[in-house]
Amino acid sequence: MKTISGKFNSVFYLILIFLFVSRSIYSLTEPYNPQKGFLFADSIDPYTPGWQVGAIFQNPATIFGATKHQLKIDSSQNFFGYNQLNIGYVFPGKKVCLSVGYNSFYTSDIPRVGVITGSTRPQSTDYFSDNYHDAALSIATGLTPKTSLGVSLHYQRHQLDSSSADSFIGDFGVVHRPIKNIWFGLYTQNLIYSDYAWDSTGFIENLPRKCVLEAGFNWGLGVLSFATDFDNKKADIEGFLSYNFSVLGGLVFDKEQNVRRYSVGLRLELEYFALNYKHSNYLTDALNLEQSLFGIAFKIDKGTDVDL
């Protein structure tokens, strides 16, 4: 009983530290776009060994192979007053794996400016909100011992002041591992979706349909992965400094092959949890769009598996 109580207390204090630190950092972040494909910011990369929970909002086929229940929480806040919260959970199984995820990017204190007349300086009359929400449910299974298939259903909603638009989105993904430490993947973004229509005007937005190709390998001392959606390309690397520490790095390239963004980070990993930190910046944009992202993740040894 003392051992169980000690583990619970450690987890409780880690969560408190995580929430305090993530809210204490005040930094610029990029404008959020819920349809930005594989550029989605996540504290855990999709192919980090043993952490399939990092793939929930990317390739759903990657969650297959999880052997433990996994929970992760990411948090950040930006200079413009937007907060981001990302939560994911993976249910393991020998034949089928499930995952649920929720991502929110929101603010409620954007000043509402009155009508500008002449040279009078506009005054803020009150405030309005701007909120993005994305809830995801994914299921993955093994087609062969080397290939897995996953499908995901997303519900996305954008609430801007008193207007809103929402859509149901269906996607799929495939991962093939010709040998143990090498993989190739493909997944879609907004493959099938219902009308993304604003209730105040009836205007229907077209969500960009994209196909993402990815590849990577684990050479024992780290993981190197590549991905492209044919508009952008990215490369991520994770180097294992020791059993408990990893250093993270990444580059994103635009159509002209210019480096658009870099990221660096650290991960502290123990037996059943990990603390993650990533810092990124955009090099080719007019603004200095820095982002600091904090994440905490847990592996839960006991629980109900999908395969009953």
Side-chain angles (χ1 to χ4, degrees), residues 212-234:
V212 179
L213 301 179
E214 54 189 0
F217 67 97
N218 182 337
W219 73 90
L221 298 178
V223 176
L224 182 63
S225 61
F226 305 90
T228 179
D229 66 356
F230 304 100
D231 287 327
N232 299 279
K233 302 176 179 65
K234 76 168 185 174

Side-chain angles (χ1 to χ4, degrees), residues 66-70 89-98 300-308:
T67 59
K68 291 182 173 62
H69 290 248
Q70 300 172 24
Y89 196 98
V90 171
F91 299 85
K94 293 180 180 180
K95 297 180 180 180
V96 174
C97 291
L98 292 175
I300 304 170
D301 208 12
K302 294 183 179 180
T304 302
D305 291 354
V306 177
D307 304 324
L308 299 177

Side-chain angles (χ1 to χ4, degrees), residues 31-301:
Y32 179 70
N33 178 0
Q35 293 89 32
K36 62 183 176 182
F38 72 91
L39 299 182
F40 181 84
D42 202 309
S43 69
I44 299 180
D45 293 326
Y47 291 99
T48 299
W51 291 103
Q52 290 82 3
V53 69
I56 288 179
F57 286 96
Q58 299 189 51
N59 191 340
T62 311
I63 66 172
F64 185 72
T67 59
K68 291 182 173 62
H69 290 248
Q70 300 172 24
L71 168 68
K72 68 126 179 149
I73 307 172
D74 294 339
S75 179
S76 66
Q77 185 183 46
N78 72 12
F79 180 81
F80 301 104
Y82 280 83
N83 300 287
Q84 184 171 5
L85 178 65
N86 185 329
I87 302 173
Y89 196 98
V90 171
F91 299 85
K94 293 180 180 180
K95 297 180 180 180
V96 174
C97 291
L98 292 175
S99 70
V100 291
Y102 171 73
N103 183 63
S104 180
F105 190 81
Y106 58 94
T107 184
S108 59
D109 55 0
I110 301 177
R112 189 190 307 276
V113 179
V115 178
I116 300 176
T117 58
S119 59
T120 304
R121 183 177 180 179
Q123 300 294 321
S124 175
T125 56
D126 62 351
Y127 298 89
F128 66 94
S129 61
D130 184 20
N131 306 315
Y132 291 90
H133 304 279
D134 185 353
L137 172 66
S138 301
I139 182 171
T141 187
L143 295 179
T144 71
K146 296 182 178 181
T147 305
S148 58
L149 171 69
V151 295
S152 60
L153 177 65
H154 293 253
Y155 173 72
Q156 289 187 353
R157 180 180 177 85
H158 184 188
Q159 180 82 35
L160 180 61
D161 197 8
S162 59
S163 299
S164 65
D166 57 6
S167 178
F168 287 96
I169 301 171
D171 287 300
F172 81 95
V174 178
V175 174
H176 177 67
R177 299 178 182 270
I179 61 177
K180 182 178 180 181
N181 293 326
I182 295 179
W183 61 87
F184 300 93
L186 177 151
Y187 65 95
T188 62
Q189 188 80 14
N190 305 322
L191 179 64
I192 302 172
Y193 60 88
S194 59
D195 286 345
Y196 200 67
W198 288 92
D199 57 8
S200 58
T201 63
F203 176 76
I204 299 176
E205 289 191 39
N206 293 319
L207 303 182
R209 289 187 173 93
K210 291 189 176 184
C211 177
V212 179
L213 301 179
E214 54 189 0
F217 67 97
N218 182 337
W219 73 90
L221 298 178
V223 176
L224 182 63
S225 61
F226 305 90
T228 179
D229 66 356
F230 304 100
D231 287 327
N232 299 279
K233 302 176 179 65
K234 76 168 185 174
D236 289 307
I237 187 170
E238 177 176 355
F240 308 137
L241 300 179
S242 68
Y243 177 78
N244 300 115
F245 287 95
S246 297
V247 61
L248 313 173
L251 293 173
V252 173
F253 302 86
D254 60 19
K255 289 182 178 181
E256 286 73 34
Q257 309 303 314
N258 297 314
V259 176
R260 181 172 174 233
R261 186 186 73 183
Y262 73 87
S263 63
V264 293
L266 290 172
R267 174 178 297 111
L268 168 63
E269 183 172 344
L270 299 179
E271 185 176 5
Y272 289 103
F273 67 87
L275 290 173
N276 310 284
Y277 169 76
K278 278 187 178 181
H279 175 83
S280 64
N281 197 0
Y282 282 71
L283 301 179
T284 58
D285 291 342
L287 295 176
N288 188 33
L289 298 173
E290 294 181 312
Q291 177 182 7
S292 292
L293 179 66
F294 291 87
I296 187 168
F298 299 94
K299 291 180 181 178
I300 304 170
D301 208 12

